[in-house]
């Protein structure tokens, strides 16, 4: 009787283990989910490192030699067009102007006297012409002296923001010495490099009437409030990198961005008939991307794929997969090449509806 009870306990134990194994196997099996690749028109997002430049950024240099007598602005100050910024000591140039003015007055009197004599036929026409030439020369020298005096004042050529000073009050400056730089940041020119293939995609779909819209991701990973437009492309490709430089123009009404900053351009490019798969269906081996493809016998085979571009939660496939091929979506860490599985199939439309994808 005691042996019978032990036997029943052992049988029950085997039954429980068997049921547990069966349930565990069933649980393991239902974790496998498969889907298919999907071909559709979509918009791929590209990121490019960029350099931010003011659309007007110039160096202000001394036009005359002399001591820096006055500085009327401060570093970082916003100045208006025509505002006086620097003045080189003007005394020498004022004296030259007075001398030139006196010479004009003297020659003017000579000319008038010669003209009166010419009207009475006392002097020849050639003497009158010579007097007129002397007067014109004196007036030209007066204009030159006025220009030199004006050059002692450095005025803002446009509205902008001052940079730091390269000279200080009282410094002796020579003609051409750098005083400071001035930036007009109301519009920004943002430069970034684009590979040849993506350039061709852009040129295929962009027109003069429909300029490519781009966004700017700032250095703090925040998106700039105002979108930009690609308005210029360089003439030639860089043979060493295979890239060509684009220039996007951004409005900067709040003056948030400054000349010399960096960021990332976010460009959306239309992809016709793109083959899409979820990123989570892929795995990586030695920096190469793979998926598990399921054949007609429900056997999985690893296959290398080439990624054309990356989107949030998705990859656009360049090669390695065909339309309607089934791939393992979940459980890829629990299988190996050649395993036969039981899986649950989900339509790609249902899978993609839970992911980030833009459908054109």
């Amino acid at each position: 009787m005691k042996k019978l009870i032990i036997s029943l306990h052992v049988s029950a134990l085997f039954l429980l283990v068997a049921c547990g194994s069966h349930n565990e196997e069933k649980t393991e099996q239902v974790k496998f989910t498969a889907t298919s690749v999907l071909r559709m028109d979509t918009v791929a997002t590209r990121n490019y490192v960029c350099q931010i430049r003011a659309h007007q950024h110039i160096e202000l240099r001394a036009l005359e030699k002399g001591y820096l007598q006055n500085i009327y602005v401060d570093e970082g100050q916003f100045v208006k067009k025509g505002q006086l910024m620097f003045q080189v000591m003007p005394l020498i140039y004022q004296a030259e102007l007075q001398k030139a003015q006196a010479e004009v007055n003297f020659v003017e009197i000579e000319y008038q006297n010669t003209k009166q004599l010419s009207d009475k036929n006392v002097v020849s026409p050639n003497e009158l012409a010579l007097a007129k030439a002397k007067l014109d020369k004196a007036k030209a020298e007066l204009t030159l002296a006025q220009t030199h005096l004006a050059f002692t004042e450095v005025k803002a050529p446009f509205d902008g923001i001052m940079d730091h000073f390269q000279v200080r009050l009282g410094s002796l400056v020579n003609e051409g010495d750098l005083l400071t730089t001035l930036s007009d940041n109301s519009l920004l020119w943002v430069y970034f490099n684009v590979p040849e293939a993506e350039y061709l995609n852009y040129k295929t779909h962009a027109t003069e009437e429909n300029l490519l819209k781009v966004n700017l991701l700032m250095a703090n990973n925040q998106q700039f409030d105002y979108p930009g437009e690609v308005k210029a492309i360089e003439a030639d490709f860089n043979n060493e990198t295979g890239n060509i430089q684009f220039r996007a123009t951004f409005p900067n009404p709040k003056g948030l961005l400054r000349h010399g900053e960096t960021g990332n351009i976010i460009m959306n490019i239309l992809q016709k008939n793109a083959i899409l798969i979820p990123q989570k269906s892929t795995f990586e081996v030695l920096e190469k991307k793979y998926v598990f493809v399921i054949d007609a016998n429900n056997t999985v085979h690893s296959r290398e794929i080439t990624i054309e571009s990356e989107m949030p939660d998705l990859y656009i496939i360049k090669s390695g997969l065909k339309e309607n091929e089934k791939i393992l979506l979940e459980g890829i860490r629990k299988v190996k090449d050649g395993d036969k599985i039981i899986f649950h199939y989900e339509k790609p439309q249902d899978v993609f509806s839970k992911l980030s994808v833009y459908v054109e």
Side-chain angles (χ1 to χ4, degrees):
M1 185 66 176
K2 192 172 183 180
K3 290 183 179 180
L4 179 59
I5 294 174
I6 292 174
S7 177
L8 288 174
H9 279 296
V10 172
S11 299
L13 181 60
F14 279 121
L15 181 61
L16 289 173
V17 170
C19 291
S21 299
H22 178 72
N23 290 336
E24 184 177 347
E25 181 181 356
K26 184 177 180 181
T27 302
E28 190 71 22
Q29 289 172 352
V30 297
K31 287 184 179 180
F32 293 107
T33 304
T35 189
S36 301
V37 301
L38 184 62
R39 184 183 291 275
M40 60 188 294
D41 293 346
T42 187
V43 172
T45 300
R46 304 282 199 278
N47 286 347
Y48 305 98
V49 176
C50 64
Q51 298 289 329
I52 300 171
R53 299 286 183 262
H55 82 114
Q56 290 194 97
H57 178 80
I58 63 169
E59 295 177 337
L60 294 176
R61 295 181 177 272
L63 298 175
E64 295 292 351
K65 179 180 178 180
Y67 288 98
L68 191 61
Q69 180 172 293
N70 290 301
I71 298 177
Y72 298 99
V73 291
D74 198 2
E75 296 174 330
Q77 179 181 338
F78 178 83
V79 296
K80 300 289 290 183
K81 180 179 180 179
Q83 182 175 342
L84 183 60
M85 304 168 69
F86 302 93
Q87 185 174 45
V88 176
M89 187 174 289
L91 295 180
I92 295 177
Y93 304 102
Q94 287 174 343
E96 290 180 350
L97 176 62
Q98 291 171 355
K99 178 182 177 181
Q101 182 65 63
E103 183 68 19
V104 168
N105 295 338
F106 176 76
V107 177
E108 177 76 28
I109 294 172
E110 282 190 338
Y111 171 74
Q112 293 299 332
N113 290 336
T114 305
K115 187 175 185 304
Q116 289 177 3
L117 293 174
S118 177
D119 291 342
K120 297 176 181 178
N121 295 322
V122 176
V123 298
S124 67
N126 285 341
E127 288 188 40
L128 179 62
L130 181 60
K132 180 65 168 61
K134 289 176 65 177
L135 177 60
D136 291 342
K137 179 182 177 182
K139 287 182 176 179
E141 290 177 348
L142 175 62
T143 301
L144 183 61
Q146 290 172 335
T147 302
H148 281 297
L149 180 60
F151 281 170
T152 63
E153 294 182 342
V154 179
K155 298 180 179 180
F158 51 80
D159 296 353
I161 298 175
M162 299 282 300
D163 199 2
H164 63 274
F165 297 151
Q166 301 294 330
V167 293
R168 293 294 182 265
L169 192 65
S171 300
L172 177 62
V173 295
N174 291 308
E175 180 181 344
D177 281 356
L178 179 63
L179 303 177
T180 187
T181 56
L182 182 67
S183 297
D184 179 1
N185 298 322
S186 59
L187 281 179
L188 300 172
W189 284 354
V190 180
Y191 294 88
F192 58 101
N193 294 317
V194 175
E196 183 177 358
E198 295 172 17
Y199 158 81
L200 294 172
N201 287 338
Y202 161 72
K203 292 298 289 184
T204 301
H205 301 105
T207 63
E208 291 296 330
E209 297 76 20
N210 182 26
L211 297 174
L212 185 65
K213 302 286 186 180
V214 294
N215 291 298
L216 175 63
L217 191 66
M218 299 181 292
N220 62 353
N221 288 323
Q222 298 294 316
Q223 185 167 305
F224 187 52
D225 290 338
Y226 304 93
E229 293 181 339
V230 174
K231 291 190 175 181
I233 304 175
E234 279 192 354
D236 301 324
F237 276 87
N238 185 321
N239 291 331
E240 295 180 359
T241 64
N243 294 335
I244 193 169
Q245 192 169 71
F246 280 41
R247 190 193 76 201
T249 301
F250 286 81
N252 188 33
K254 298 179 181 178
L256 175 63
L257 297 178
R258 300 289 182 95
H259 177 89
E261 290 189 77
T262 60
N264 284 274
I265 285 291
I266 303 173
M267 179 188 289
N268 294 321
I269 299 178
L270 179 65
Q271 296 279 344
K272 289 284 189 179
N273 295 318
I275 294 180
L276 303 174
I277 64 170
Q279 287 191 19
K280 66 179 182 179
S281 65
T282 67
F283 61 97
E284 190 170 312
V285 177
L286 299 177
E287 298 183 353
K288 294 182 179 180
K289 295 288 186 183
Y290 293 83
V291 294
F292 280 117
V293 179
I294 305 172
D295 65 16
N297 297 320
N298 296 345
T299 302
V300 295
H301 304 279
S302 63
R303 186 186 298 174
E304 183 182 352
I305 58 173
T306 303
I307 306 298
E308 180 175 345
S309 60
E310 183 176 345
M311 302 167 61
D313 299 336
L314 299 168
Y315 286 132
I316 296 179
I317 303 303
K318 183 176 182 180
S319 62
L321 287 174
K322 298 178 181 178
E323 192 173 356
N324 297 324
E325 282 192 304
K326 291 185 175 66
I327 59 173
L328 193 61
L329 178 64
E330 294 178 353
I332 60 175
R333 303 295 179 188
K334 300 178 180 180
V335 298
K336 61 182 182 296
D337 196 296
D339 283 354
K340 190 168 184 177
I341 63 169
I342 298 175
F343 60 88
H344 167 68
Y345 177 79
E346 288 190 19
K347 294 181 179 178
Q349 293 86 347
D350 295 336
V351 174
F352 282 34
S353 65
K354 306 169 187 175
L355 306 175
S356 299
V357 59
Y358 179 87
V359 181
E360 180 68 20

